[in-house]
Amino acid sequence: QVQLAESGGGLVQAGGSLRLSCAASGRLFNTYYAMAWFRQAPGKEREFVAAISWNAVGIAYADSVKGRFTISRDMFTKTAFLQMNNLKPEDTAVYYCNADYNPRTEVDATFLGYYWGQGTQVTVSS
């Protein structure tokens, strides 16, 4: 199977930054896995934030985070990152890592993988 473990969440003031990490493991997780970040705020549905292809050539962002968030990955450590700058109170949510086998070199905002992490809380105070 595939296990995903998020870390890096916390409490930050508006305008601040956080960097989330997602470490992947498991015998099924191989080179050709795309990875993504979703978030869910209280009372709202889970929404797409960003995705990255297996080779980091394809990257996609939700309009709400473009220019502020950056997704990246380290293929050797099987880790994805989400650098979040200029955070706003509306970014407050539980952030989930998501992954699935996808050998394509492009991704878009419709990406939805099968495997999920447990989530990490991000709280932005005003």
Side-chain angles (χ1 to χ4, degrees), residues 19-113:
R19 188 190 195 209
L20 305 183
S21 299
C22 172
S25 61
R27 65 182 183 87
L28 292 182
F29 190 90
N30 59 35
T31 300
Y32 299 103
Y33 268 65
M35 301 181 76
W37 290 93
F38 286 72
R39 67 186 182 186
Q40 187 167 19
K44 295 187 177 181
E45 294 186 352
R46 192 171 297 187
E47 64 175 3
F48 171 85
V49 175
I52 187 167
S53 66
W54 68 272
N55 58 359
V57 171
I59 289 177
Y61 295 100
D63 289 342
S64 59
V65 306
K66 282 181 181 177
R68 300 188 299 122
F69 290 11
T70 301
I71 189 171
S72 61
R73 69 186 296 167
D74 184 327
M75 294 177 64
F76 296 101
T77 62
K78 301 180 182 179
T79 304
F81 305 96
L82 186 67
Q83 177 66 44
M84 306 185 293
N85 298 329
N86 191 22
L87 282 161
K88 304 175 181 180
E90 50 264 43
D91 294 318
T92 295
V94 177
Y95 283 71
Y96 296 91
C97 184
N98 179 252
D100 208 341
Y101 177 78
N102 187 341
R104 300 173 60 192
T105 57
E106 61 275 355
V107 291
D108 59 32
T110 65
F111 179 85
L112 179 61

